[in-house]
């Protein structure tokens, strides 16, 4: 066997390397998604806190909330609720919803960046592979990816019969999931919410009530619905921990979790290699910290991050047909945004095309390329200057900021450069 990532399905490769815990998703042998935790720069994304309102910021129409972490979070009125979880009325200001000194149950929806603290919401969501529990909601909402036919109504009715309580978002993978898996996941998510609610009712705070999923679990939550071929873990303790989590939350995946055994997956001369070495993933991750991305047809992308946005320039190289270059670039841009965890405004300068029909074809191709992105991504179209404008929801810290100067090399030290 040439390596751990062959075949046409997906494989999830997980390792610990110095301060990093990493989960790489390979589809058809190609890196398509990457999840990384940095022990020295921990993410708070998805964490649920019982916080305390420090002050009302009328000018921002928000409130600063003490989380007990040393850096207060900002809760916008758009993400706030009234007493006892009452939904905010249209146009209602933050001063009508909260008061200084009040304890509030909040979840981190975006990590701190620069001098800004984390962004918070009172609309708690607990994600699973097939379902997302929104316990303060009242409805069953079905993913738009499932179309608009009668199947949506039938699926919503099915979830109402299976899942306890109210407030469920049904993900696309639920359509083909057996009732037993849906029931097990909904029970686990509802139990997590009851634990949060009971702890909040006991008062106190500020305190952490629930940690968000770590990198391996995020990979399984986002990609486990399609049942990966293998989940290979290059750390025995982590493999046991992940198998235990699967037994409780994803029993169909438990037998797919396997500790990495280099002797079985590599040639004899490579039997001492680490899991990511076999697929040369470290080298590929290093390229994600650069700006230039070559395209197979001879063109290239130049990707630059600024404080305000991500800018992508498409170069044609020596290839003659602008549409061909742009169509290839659209697929790679979608992949790069996911791997780099780029968030916010994205502006793309494609190769100029004179045919209006070609421009529409390109926009459709770009929209299709981003529709499977776990982070909500919207393609808005061409500006008057001929630039394509997009947005991608921020999910955690961008890869370049997260890794900083951590060195990924054959010595596997995970040390930082001096």
């Amino acid at each position: 066997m040439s390596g751990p990532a062959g075949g046409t399905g997906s494989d999830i490769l997980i390792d610990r390397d110095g301060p990093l815990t990493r989960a790489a998703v390979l589809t058809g042998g190609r890196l398509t998604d990457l999840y990384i935790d940095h022990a020295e720069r921990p993410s708070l994304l998805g964490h649920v806190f019982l916080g305390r309102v420090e002050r009302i910021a009328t000018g921002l129409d928000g409130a600063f909330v003490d989380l007990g972490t040393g850096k207060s979070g900002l809760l916008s009125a758009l993400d706030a609720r009234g007493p006892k979880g009452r939904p905010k009325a249209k146009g209602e200001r933050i001063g009508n919803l909260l008061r200084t000194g009040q304890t509030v149950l909040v979840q981190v929806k975006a990590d701190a960046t620069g001098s800004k603290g984390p962004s918070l919401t009172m609309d708690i969501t607990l994600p699973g592979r097939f379902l997302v529990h929104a316990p303060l909601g009242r409805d069953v909402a079905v993913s738009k990816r499932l179309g608009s036919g009668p199947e949506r109504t039938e699926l919503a009715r099915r979830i109402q019969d299976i899942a306890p309580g109210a407030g469920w978002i049904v993900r696309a993978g639920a359509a083909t999931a057996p009732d037993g898996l849906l029931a097990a996941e909904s029970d686990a998510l509802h139990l997590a919410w009851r634990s949060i609610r009971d702890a909040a009712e006991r008062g106190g705070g500020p305190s952490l009530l629930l940690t968000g999923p770590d990198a391996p679990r995020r990979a399984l939550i986002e990609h486990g619905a399609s049942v990966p071929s293998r989940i290979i873990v290059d750390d025995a303790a982590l493999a046991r921990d992940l198998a235990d989590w699967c037994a409780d939350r994803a029993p169909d995946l438990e037998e797919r979790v396997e500790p990495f055994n280099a002797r079985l997956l590599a040639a004899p001369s490579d039997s001492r290699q680490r899991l990511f070495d076999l697929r040369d993933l470290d080298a590929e991750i290093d390229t994600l910290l650069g700006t230039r991305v070559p395209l197979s047809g001879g063109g290239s992308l130049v990707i630059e991050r600024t404080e305000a946005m991500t800018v992508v320039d498409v170069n044609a190289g020596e290839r003659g047909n602008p549409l061909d270059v742009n169509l290839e670039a659209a697929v790679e841009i979608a992949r790069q945004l996911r791997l780099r965890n780029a968030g916010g405004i994205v502006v793309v300068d494609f190769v100029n095309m004179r045919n209006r029909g070609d421009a529409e074809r390109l926009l459709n191709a770009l929209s299709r390329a981003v529709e499977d992105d776990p982070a909500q991504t919207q393609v808005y179209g061409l500006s008057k200057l001929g630039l394509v404008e997009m947005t991608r929801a921020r999910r955690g810290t961008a890869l370049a900021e997260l890794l900083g100067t951590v060195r990924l090399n054959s010595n596997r030290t995970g040390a930082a450069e001096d």
Side-chain angles (χ1 to χ4, degrees), residues 7-333:
T8 57
S10 65
D11 293 304
I12 299 179
L13 312 184
I14 299 167
D15 87 336
R16 277 191 176 135
D17 184 17
L20 306 179
T21 300
R22 308 179 293 180
V25 181
L26 286 82
T27 304
R30 191 174 191 221
L31 180 64
T32 53
D33 286 276
L34 186 64
Y35 301 84
I36 298 180
D37 289 336
H38 195 310
E40 297 168 6
R41 304 172 193 175
S43 170
L44 299 182
L45 187 66
H47 285 29
V48 178
F49 290 90
L50 184 62
R52 189 175 300 278
V53 178
E54 284 187 319
R55 66 183 176 92
I56 303 296
T58 306
L60 297 174
D61 198 18
F64 287 99
V65 179
D66 179 11
L67 305 176
T69 62
K71 184 173 262 190
S72 299
L74 177 63
L75 174 63
S76 166
L78 295 174
D79 295 303
R81 286 177 168 263
K84 298 183 179 179
R86 171 182 63 80
K88 182 182 83 72
K90 185 176 181 180
E92 192 171 8
R93 304 285 291 180
I94 192 70
N96 295 329
L97 299 168
L98 302 174
R99 67 182 187 279
T100 301
Q102 176 183 346
T103 57
V104 285
L105 189 62
V106 293
Q107 185 172 39
V108 176
K109 70 172 191 175
D111 275 320
T113 56
S115 60
K116 297 180 181 178
S119 297
L120 308 176
T121 180
M122 292 178 70
D123 292 317
I124 310 298
T125 55
L126 306 176
R129 293 189 298 155
F130 308 111
L131 302 169
V132 177
H133 194 17
L136 299 180
R138 298 179 180 176
D139 303 319
V140 174
V142 180
S143 169
K144 294 179 181 178
R145 294 177 182 175
L146 291 172
S148 57
E151 297 85 0
R152 287 172 59 88
T153 303
E154 177 58 34
L155 182 57
R157 187 179 298 114
R158 183 179 162 212
I159 297 304
Q160 286 174 331
D161 292 339
I162 293 172
W168 296 95
I169 300 169
V170 186
R171 308 184 74 173
T176 56
D179 287 356
L181 286 180
L182 295 177
E185 181 167 271
S186 62
D187 286 345
L189 294 174
H190 191 60
L191 184 62
W193 165 244
R194 287 173 54 190
S195 176
I196 292 169
R197 183 194 60 196
D198 292 348
E201 289 176 350
R202 288 193 291 271
S207 58
L208 174 64
L209 303 185
L210 179 78
T211 59
D214 59 12
R217 288 167 177 78
R218 292 198 303 274
L220 293 186
I221 287 171
E222 296 295 349
H223 300 277
S226 57
V227 187
S229 299
R230 285 175 293 180
I231 304 165
I232 307 175
V233 188
D234 193 7
D235 182 280
L238 184 55
R240 289 192 297 271
D241 178 58
L242 205 56
D244 289 343
W245 182 86
C246 287
D248 179 54
R249 293 281 298 273
D252 56 320
L253 299 184
E254 184 181 5
E255 65 180 15
R256 297 178 185 272
V257 178
E258 51 185 281
F260 173 55
N261 188 330
R263 290 189 299 276
L264 296 179
L265 294 175
S269 60
D270 296 330
S271 61
R272 293 185 180 179
Q273 283 189 313
R274 296 173 62 93
L275 178 59
F276 274 40
D277 292 334
L278 290 178
R279 188 53 185 79
D280 205 20
L281 288 176
D282 285 321
E284 188 162 2
I285 293 170
D286 276 340
T287 67
L288 298 173
L289 303 179
T291 58
R292 187 177 180 278
V293 180
L295 300 174
S296 61
S300 64
L301 308 176
V302 177
I303 304 175
E304 300 276 1
R305 281 181 69 240
T306 71
E307 287 191 19
M309 67 183 70
T310 299
V311 180
V312 184
D313 185 34
V314 181
N315 298 316
E318 298 181 3
R319 197 169 186 176
N321 189 330
L323 178 60
D324 290 342
V325 176
N326 287 338
L327 290 176
E328 181 186 358
V331 175
E332 186 60 28
I333 288 168

Side-chain angles (χ1 to χ4, degrees), residues 393-408:
R394 297 185 187 277
R395 291 166 63 99
T397 306
L399 182 68
E401 184 180 345
L402 180 67
L403 293 184
T405 56
V406 171
R407 182 176 66 243
L408 303 175

